[in-house]
Amino acid sequence: MAADSTLLLSLVEEYVSGLQDSKAKDSVTGIKDGQFTVLQLVEALGTSLTSSQPHTRARGVKLLSEVLQECYGGLTEREVDVLIAFYENRLKDHYVVTPPVLQGLGALAKCTVLPPGSAVSMLRSLFQDVHVQSLMLVERACVYNMLINLMETREDELKGLGADFVFGFIQSMDGERDPRNLLLSFQIAKNIIHRGYELGKFTEELFEVTSCYFPIDFTPPPNDPHGITREELVLMLRDVITGTPRFAEFLLPLIIEKLDSDVQSAKLDSLQTLTACVAEYEHSHLSEFLEGLWTSLRREVFQTSSDKIESAGLAAVTALTSCLSRSILNSESEDSLCTFLELVLKDCRHHLSEPDLKLVWPSAKLLQAACRASNRASHIVISAVMPSLIEQYSNRTECSHRRTLLEVAQRFIESVKTSDPSENEESVFLAFRPSLCSMVFSALTETNATLQVTATVVIASLAQQTGLLRESDIELAVDHLTRLLLTENDNQISLAVVECVGALAKLHPEAFISKMIPKLKTEMFTEPIEQDNSIDFSEQHSHHALRQRCLSALAAVSTQPSVVQESTPVLLEVLGSAHTGSVCFSVEEVVSACRSLQRIAEQVQDSEETGRCFHDVIIPRLLSLALQAALQGEGSSDRCSPLAEEAVLSAMVPIISTSCSRLQPTLAGVTAARAVSLFLQGDVSFLPDNSFPSHIQLLKDQQGDSWRQSQMVCLLMGCVCSLPRSVEVPQMDRLLSQLEDMSCTCSHPLSYISAAKCFAGLVNKRPLEESLDRLIQNTMKRVCSELESPSSSVRTQAFTLMIWVAKALLMRYHPLSSALTDKLFSLLDDDELGPSVADGFSLMMTDSADVLNRSCHADVRIMYCQRFFSENSAKLVQGFNAAPQDKKPNYLKALSNIVNKLPKQVQVTELPALLSLLLEALSCPDQGVQLSTLSCLEPVLLDPPPALIQQLEALVTRLLALISSPAMNVRIVSLRCIHAVSQFPVHEVLPFRARVLRDLARPLDDKKRLVRSEAVQARADWFLLGSPGGR
């Protein structure tokens, strides 16, 4: 013990007199190891704490405080009591002692064994003996943190201080300027307000001491290590000053005053603060200030030059109206909502009678903002403005005026839709239903396209109003919309009609089933009338456009299962008629019908009814038609079915894959079994129109026209590769074997590419087992033997299978994926396949639309692209350095394709290491490589790394060469890059100024406007470089 005492005295002496701060850590270690206690440390500090020299006392207190910062958790209640008494006494000491005293009190405030009443005692001493704002920043932060800790752990005791606690805090923060401490003090003020501390007579003082910072005007310094933002301060202060209705009489005049500011950020902050505070207020708090608030809000919306200010002003009107709508009326109280809305109507309603003037829309927006607040407000406003709008529409004859009035009415309908009326309450527009319907239906019969488009939007809005439109109104609307769809060739009108019928069909499917779908079917199956055995080209084009509109409309209305049951047979009949030739449909129209079926599969509600429809009807019918088309062309010189065309088959794939991906597990399993049995055994028993020959072999390599059958493998891919991973595909080994054979032997591109995709899709989902590894190894052995044989006729097919399998394995992080990518890198030196391999890396890094994506339930791991890049970028650089000169472009193209598909954040981090290769890629003659490389460089140039600045000569030379590229996109992006280089450090880029200005003169006369625009911007900044007033 004597040795420990000697050690302790030595530590104290060296810290206090020797000014060795590291001895504080040694003291902490000694206490934690049990060599001595905190009270023994206090005894050892005795002479230091009673020294006549203030600085010696301060060092002694500082040592004790630093030890307490680490050891406060082990103190007993008695020790804490003694230490608090000591520290409270030290607050009366010399000012140099105060900082370490506050540090010690801050540590003691964290103690869980703080004696009852000690928190109050500490704060009374603090408020009485310390002038907080005369302290340094760190000490002030210590005070604020102490208050926060005590408010968290000793709230009841602090509330016992009453308003004295609030007064002490006001004195402590009054005059605070540092943003770090302001965040702490705002947190304390927020706690005081939200946790129910007594404000007493200091309500106004607390508001004044916090609101003096409103609105916040703070811009953090560059590279601020503390990371404090203006937004943090704004939100914290807003929580304080809007936290209690007791601030209303002070805050509302302040907001009105600040809205007169010319600073946009101050206006925005004031409007957002008003929106926040009225959510807490009652109508009685607002009534005195309504006129002033309305005057300010009206000005901000009428005279705004900023969309943000306008939006914030309208949001404030809505919040203010909502607050007033919550008022409970009695015989003696004034109706504040009516008072406010009278002000709004007085200043806005008359502008609605002037549809050709600019104040129509600001006035309408203000009234609509009020409508949006509550059902009661919407009744008052709509009753006042709607008669005038209807009368104006009847009296006006100009289409532009009528369109404006109709748009205003539509915005009112939309605003009321969001006001959430009670279920049993009638729509506010019910009294105006006949007039509104008359307006809309008359607009639909006009010849003005924009008026008709607006009318379709109004119909959709009216339909959203529960119980407003009658069944007869809906039927009449459907008749009008059908007429427009069938007679109007204007693309704008047809798009608007399709959007409108889609919205209406969700709510009123019966009208579309009985009226629209039969008429669309009739028109689609009506062929143009021949005159003198010929059809006029314009009439044929018009009929084609009509069919396209009908197909789009059929897809749009098919959102409810009942409509799908009626619309999909029509679309399937289009495909059937096109196949048989009973009605002449072009390939483009057949593809559009397939896309409509795909859209229906994507948007229809998931239900057993729709699942059955696709499983039992649509998928079998598509497979049957495709098989009939494939068999029809075999060995026949007759008419070829359009369903055998690659474009049509490719359009069928997403129908099947989308519907299969959404099937219930039981139906999905049956679909998989049917598809596999069809392609492996030729089982056609589940297909409609079952008149097929026996022994169909769709996956066998046959001669002649067998490609018509083999290309159907794309439909197999759509079936089995989109199923959930939980669904087991039957006869998997045999299926994979035949897909591999087709991939490596078939000469038809769609067939072998689809087979490779299907093989890869199945491999991607197959469980990680030894059998999977054997399958991949055997497949790759076969593929590599073909690739290594220069005389092989199926090298392209083998490479196609390899690239898709490599992608499938890469996406799931399979261990064998690295072996496949190494083989692909080696093929970059191949004379025949090198360019295709370089393009293949783009395929590996990009999501595929029809297979190996998340919507098809593929096994896709996060950030697989980044992992591929990090594992293989070095290999690519080594290969480039070792490659012959004529093969280097392949490596550059591969690198560009890989890097261009990475997220921008990764590009910025990784590009400096690859900079020399990317600069080399800019000299590659391939325009695709140039464009993707420029796209990679553009974000890096905005914040250039030192390595890039060191290569400035090479970079500028290559960029200037590309501004004369034959490709417009290359010229545009290269000019953007040159523009970005002008923002580099002036001393680095100034030597290039004359040369760049000379070369930028040429694109100023480019034949493309977009190129000229980029050239002007780039040359302007380069011209200002180093000039007076420039950089």
Side-chain angles (χ1 to χ4, degrees):
M1 291 298 293
D4 291 343
S5 177
T6 304
L7 172 63
L8 180 58
L9 290 171
S10 172
L11 291 173
V12 170
E13 179 65 25
E14 290 176 359
Y15 184 89
V16 175
S17 302
L19 302 179
Q20 297 184 34
D21 290 347
S22 62
K23 298 304 176 182
K25 293 184 179 178
D26 296 339
S27 301
V28 170
T29 303
I31 291 175
K32 289 184 175 179
D33 292 344
Q35 293 177 282
F36 40 84
T37 65
V38 173
L39 290 182
Q40 287 174 331
L41 174 62
V42 175
E43 291 175 4
L45 283 168
T47 56
S48 302
L49 298 176
T50 58
S51 172
S52 60
Q53 297 297 319
H55 289 284
T56 302
R57 297 199 300 276
R59 288 291 293 179
V61 175
K62 185 176 181 184
L63 175 58
L64 178 59
S65 296
E66 290 190 13
V67 170
L68 290 177
Q69 288 281 352
E70 300 295 329
C71 303
Y72 66 85
L75 297 174
T76 65
E77 184 174 325
R78 176 59 183 159
E79 289 172 334
V80 173
D81 196 21
V82 171
L83 288 168
I84 288 175
F86 165 73
Y87 275 114
E88 287 177 358
N89 183 264
R90 291 297 92 189
L91 284 175
K92 300 179 176 65
D93 203 339
H94 194 276
Y95 69 88
V96 299
V97 183
T98 301
V101 171
L102 293 174
Q103 185 182 3
L105 285 173
L108 293 173
K110 301 175 187 176
C111 289
T112 56
V113 293
L114 205 62
S118 56
V120 172
S121 174
M122 290 166 62
L123 291 185
R124 287 191 187 278
S125 299
L126 178 66
F127 293 151
Q128 180 178 341
D129 298 326
V130 179
H131 183 242
V132 176
Q133 288 305 309
S134 65
L135 301 174
M136 299 297 287
L137 184 150
V138 176
E139 284 75 46
R140 299 200 305 275
C142 184
V143 172
Y144 298 138
N145 280 313
M146 188 194 317
L147 292 177
I148 290 173
N149 286 330
L150 291 175
M151 292 178 84
E152 293 295 331
T153 59
R154 293 292 187 271
E155 184 174 289
D156 292 338
E157 291 184 32
L158 268 55
K159 286 183 177 179
L161 279 170
D164 290 346
F165 175 70
V166 176
F167 179 65
F169 166 68
I170 291 171
Q171 285 185 313
S172 300
M173 81 159 288
D174 191 10
E176 182 60 66
R177 296 179 60 84
D178 186 84
R180 289 164 285 181
N181 284 341
L182 281 175
L183 275 179
L184 296 174
S185 58
F186 289 162
Q187 180 63 54
I188 297 169
K190 178 182 175 181
N191 290 345
I192 289 173
I193 292 168
H194 289 269
R195 296 183 182 180
Y197 284 77
E198 182 184 345
L199 303 183
K201 59 184 179 181
F202 301 114
T203 302
E204 184 173 1
E205 285 75 6
L206 180 60
F207 177 80
E208 292 294 337
V209 81
T210 52
S211 65
C212 64
Y213 301 100
F214 177 81
I216 294 288
D217 182 17
F218 169 69
T219 303
N223 304 317
D224 178 20
H226 306 290
I228 294 176
T229 63
R230 177 181 177 276
E231 288 70 28
E232 283 182 287
L233 291 166
V234 166
L235 294 175
M236 189 65 79
L237 176 58
R238 186 176 299 157
D239 285 342
V240 174
I241 60 178
T242 64
T244 173
R246 298 177 65 180
F247 285 166
E249 60 180 308
F250 315 117
L251 177 58
L252 295 175
L254 179 64
I255 289 175
I256 293 171
E257 175 191 337
K258 297 301 181 182
L259 284 173
D260 288 333
S261 170
D262 293 330
V263 181
Q264 294 292 302
S265 61
K267 286 180 179 287
L268 185 61
D269 194 1
S270 299
L271 290 167
Q272 292 171 343
T273 301
L274 175 60
T275 302
C277 74
V278 295
E280 303 293 330
Y281 292 175
E282 298 292 337
H283 71 98
S284 57
H285 301 120
L286 299 169
S287 55
E288 180 183 348
F289 306 101
L290 286 179
E291 190 168 349
L293 288 170
W294 165 244
T295 301
S296 298
L297 292 171
R298 178 191 62 198
R299 182 184 64 245
E300 296 310 321
V301 176
F302 276 9
Q303 302 175 12
T304 186
S305 57
S306 163
D307 290 340
K308 285 185 177 180
I309 299 292
E310 182 186 62
S311 298
L314 295 173
V317 171
T318 301
L320 188 59
T321 310
S322 179
C323 175
L324 297 174
S325 300
R326 296 194 297 268
S327 61
I328 300 175
L329 301 180
N330 57 52
S331 58
E332 298 177 358
S333 66
E334 181 184 5
D335 189 349
S336 300
L337 176 62
C338 287
T339 303
F340 179 68
L341 292 180
E342 283 174 6
L343 293 172
V344 178
L345 288 166
K346 177 183 176 183
D347 289 337
C348 296
R349 180 165 47 183
H350 64 279
H351 291 303
L352 300 183
S353 302
E354 305 162 349
D356 52 343
L357 299 180
K358 66 177 183 179
L359 289 181
V360 170
W361 280 115
S363 300
K365 288 177 181 178
L366 284 165
L367 289 166
Q368 289 151 11
C371 278
R372 202 171 289 116
S374 70
N375 198 35
R376 183 170 165 232
S378 66
H379 271 278
I380 295 172
V381 174
I382 295 301
S383 299
V385 302
M386 195 53 66
S388 174
L389 286 175
I390 294 171
E391 182 182 358
Q392 287 287 317
Y393 187 88
S394 300
N395 295 337
R396 299 277 180 172
T397 56
E398 292 186 34
C399 287
S400 60
H401 292 171
R402 286 188 151 200
R403 185 189 72 245
T404 300
L405 291 165
L406 209 53
E407 288 175 349
V408 170
Q410 187 269 331
R411 298 287 183 87
F412 274 113
I413 297 168
E414 283 291 312
S415 64
V416 171
K417 185 183 71 173
T418 62
S419 66
D420 192 24
S422 61
E423 292 183 5
N424 298 324
E425 193 166 353
E426 292 182 347
S427 169
V428 64
F429 291 99
L430 193 58
F432 307 104
R433 185 195 63 80
S435 301
L436 285 171
C437 289
S438 176
M439 286 171 58
V440 172
F441 296 146
S442 68
L444 289 173
T445 60
E446 296 280 354
T447 56
N448 184 275
T450 56
L451 189 57
Q452 291 173 323
V453 168
T454 305
T456 63
V457 179
V458 178
I459 289 177
S461 298
L462 286 172
Q464 303 295 324
Q465 294 282 321
T466 306
L468 178 59
L469 295 182
R470 299 174 181 172
E471 186 178 344
S472 58
D473 298 327
I474 296 295
E475 291 179 353
L476 183 57
V478 172
D479 287 339
H480 278 292
L481 294 170
T482 305
R483 176 183 55 80
L484 288 175
L485 201 63
L486 299 179
T487 59
E488 292 291 343
N489 292 319
D490 189 296
N491 190 48
Q492 185 183 11
I493 295 176
S494 62
L495 289 175
V497 170
V498 168
E499 185 175 354
C500 180
V501 297
L504 289 177
K506 293 179 182 178
L507 303 169
H508 306 281
E510 298 82 7
F512 290 88
I513 293 172
S514 62
K515 286 188 164 290
M516 177 173 279
I517 292 178
K519 291 182 180 178
L520 296 184
K521 178 180 178 181
T522 300
E523 289 296 329
M524 280 196 297
F525 286 89
T526 301
E527 298 194 63
I529 300 173
E530 293 188 13
Q531 295 180 351
D532 301 328
N533 295 323
S534 65
I535 301 175
D536 182 63
F537 174 77
S538 62
E539 185 179 351
Q540 187 175 11
H541 177 76
S542 175
H543 193 68
H544 171 72
L546 170 62
R547 282 179 169 174
Q548 296 284 10
R549 295 197 299 272
C550 292
L551 291 169
S552 297
L554 281 174
V557 301
S558 301
T559 54
Q560 299 289 346
S562 59
V563 182
V564 172
Q565 298 284 353
E566 301 297 327
S567 62
T568 51
V570 177
L571 294 169
L572 291 174
E573 191 174 341
V574 169
L575 301 182
S577 300
H579 167 64
T580 60
S582 59
V583 179
C584 183
F585 286 96
S586 67
V587 171
E588 186 179 354
E589 289 166 351
V590 175
V591 169
S592 296
C594 291
R595 287 177 180 160
S596 293
L597 282 169
Q598 178 192 351
R599 183 177 169 188
I600 293 171
E602 292 170 346
Q603 71 189 13
V604 70
Q605 298 174 358
D606 278 329
S607 67
E608 185 174 355
E609 185 181 1
T610 54
R612 284 280 176 192
C613 177
F614 277 92
H615 173 268
D616 295 338
V617 179
I618 297 175
I619 295 176
R621 180 65 173 156
L622 290 176
L623 292 173
S624 174
L625 289 171
L627 184 55
Q628 290 176 39
L631 295 173
Q632 183 186 61
E634 302 257 334
S636 171
S637 59
D638 297 340
R639 168 187 172 276
C640 181
S641 169
L643 271 64
E645 295 288 336
E646 180 177 335
V648 176
L649 282 174
S650 299
M652 284 185 181
V653 173
I655 305 172
I656 296 175
S657 62
T658 302
S659 54
C660 286
S661 67
R662 301 177 66 180
L663 285 177
Q664 296 173 347
T666 305
L667 295 180
V670 174
T671 297
R674 286 176 172 180
V676 172
S677 64
L678 170 64
F679 280 84
L680 290 183
Q681 284 96 24
D683 179 8
V684 295
S685 59
F686 71 96
L687 298 180
D689 304 327
N690 191 351
S691 57
F692 302 105
S694 58
H695 308 298
I696 296 174
Q697 295 182 326
L698 297 177
L699 294 183
K700 291 292 184 181
D701 183 28
Q702 302 171 5
Q703 302 301 318
D705 290 335
S706 64
W707 60 267
R708 297 184 188 278
Q709 293 185 35
S710 65
Q711 68 179 355
M712 282 186 63
V713 72
C714 67
L715 302 183
L716 172 66
M717 175 191 70
C719 281
V720 298
C721 291
S722 58
L723 298 172
R725 274 177 270 172
S726 59
V727 176
E728 184 177 351
V729 178
Q731 305 181 69
M732 175 69 85
D733 292 336
R734 181 182 173 191
L735 179 61
L736 288 171
S737 174
Q738 293 203 16
L739 287 171
E740 179 188 325
D741 287 341
M742 177 176 283
S743 300
C744 293
T745 58
C746 185
S747 60
H748 183 246
L750 178 61
S751 301
Y752 71 73
I753 291 174
S754 298
K757 286 182 178 182
C758 190
F759 185 92
L762 293 172
V763 165
N764 173 264
K765 295 182 186 179
R766 193 161 187 182
L768 191 61
E769 298 171 347
E770 197 175 318
S771 59
L772 175 62
D773 293 346
R774 283 199 306 272
L775 170 71
I776 296 170
Q777 289 166 356
N778 292 335
T779 301
M780 288 306 104
K781 184 183 296 184
R782 177 176 183 176
V783 167
C784 290
S785 68
E786 297 290 354
L787 292 172
E788 290 166 2
S789 172
S791 60
S792 173
S793 61
V794 291
R795 297 187 78 222
T796 300
Q797 290 90 320
F799 160 69
T800 302
L801 179 58
M802 173 177 275
I803 197 77
W804 279 103
V805 173
K807 180 179 176 68
L809 298 181
L810 169 67
M811 295 174 78
R812 63 179 290 180
Y813 292 172
H814 194 281
L816 292 177
S817 64
S818 57
L820 270 70
T821 52
D822 289 345
K823 180 62 179 177
L824 289 171
F825 283 134
S826 69
L827 288 174
L828 287 170
D829 291 327
D830 190 275
D831 292 330
E832 178 188 356
L833 296 176
S836 299
V837 175
D839 288 331
F841 284 106
S842 177
L843 182 149
M844 289 185 66
M845 302 289 283
T846 309
D847 286 339
S848 173
D850 49 8
V851 72
L852 294 178
N853 56 60
R854 288 184 172 86
S855 63
C856 290
H857 308 287
D859 187 356
V860 184
R861 306 298 175 88
I862 60 171
M863 296 191 294
Y864 74 89
C865 291
Q866 291 91 312
R867 176 172 175 169
F868 177 79
F869 174 79
S870 63
E871 290 179 351
N872 295 289
S873 58
K875 298 177 186 177
L876 200 55
V877 174
Q878 293 171 3
F880 172 82
N881 293 330
Q885 191 63 36
D886 61 331
K887 300 296 187 297
K888 286 184 183 292
N890 293 338
Y891 285 88
L892 294 175
K893 190 173 188 179
L895 174 67
S896 182
N897 285 333
I898 293 171
V899 174
N900 197 40
K901 305 302 180 183
L902 294 174
K904 294 299 180 186
Q905 299 89 334
V906 179
Q907 287 183 2
V908 171
T909 306
E910 300 290 346
L911 283 191
L914 302 172
L915 191 57
S916 59
L917 264 69
L918 291 172
L919 291 177
E920 190 76 25
L922 292 178
S923 302
C924 183
D926 190 306
Q927 292 175 358
V929 176
Q930 294 171 356
L931 186 59
S932 62
T933 306
L934 288 169
S935 301
C936 295
L937 284 173
E938 188 178 359
V940 182
L941 295 176
L942 301 176
D943 186 15
L948 188 59
I949 295 178
Q950 294 170 7
Q951 301 266 8
L952 205 52
E953 172 70 38
L955 175 66
V956 172
T957 301
R958 286 168 172 77
L959 290 177
L960 289 177
L962 291 176
I963 63 176
S964 301
S965 168
M968 182 186 74
N969 288 338
V970 173
R971 299 200 300 276
I972 289 174
V973 184
S974 60
L975 285 167
R976 287 179 186 161
C977 291
I978 281 286
H979 188 185
V981 172
S982 70
Q983 305 303 312
F984 283 20
V986 176
H987 67 280
E988 298 283 359
V989 296
L990 196 57
F992 300 96
R993 179 175 179 271
R995 174 180 162 195
V996 172
L997 289 175
R998 182 179 65 250
D999 287 355
L1000 285 178
R1002 291 196 305 275
L1004 292 176
D1005 292 327
D1006 196 279
K1007 61 183 179 181
K1008 295 293 185 180
R1009 179 183 60 82
L1010 294 176
V1011 177
R1012 296 196 301 271
S1013 175
E1014 294 291 344
V1016 167
Q1017 295 178 45
R1019 198 167 189 269
D1021 274 8
W1022 275 95
F1023 188 83
L1024 291 172
L1025 199 67
S1027 303
R1031 290 182 61 230

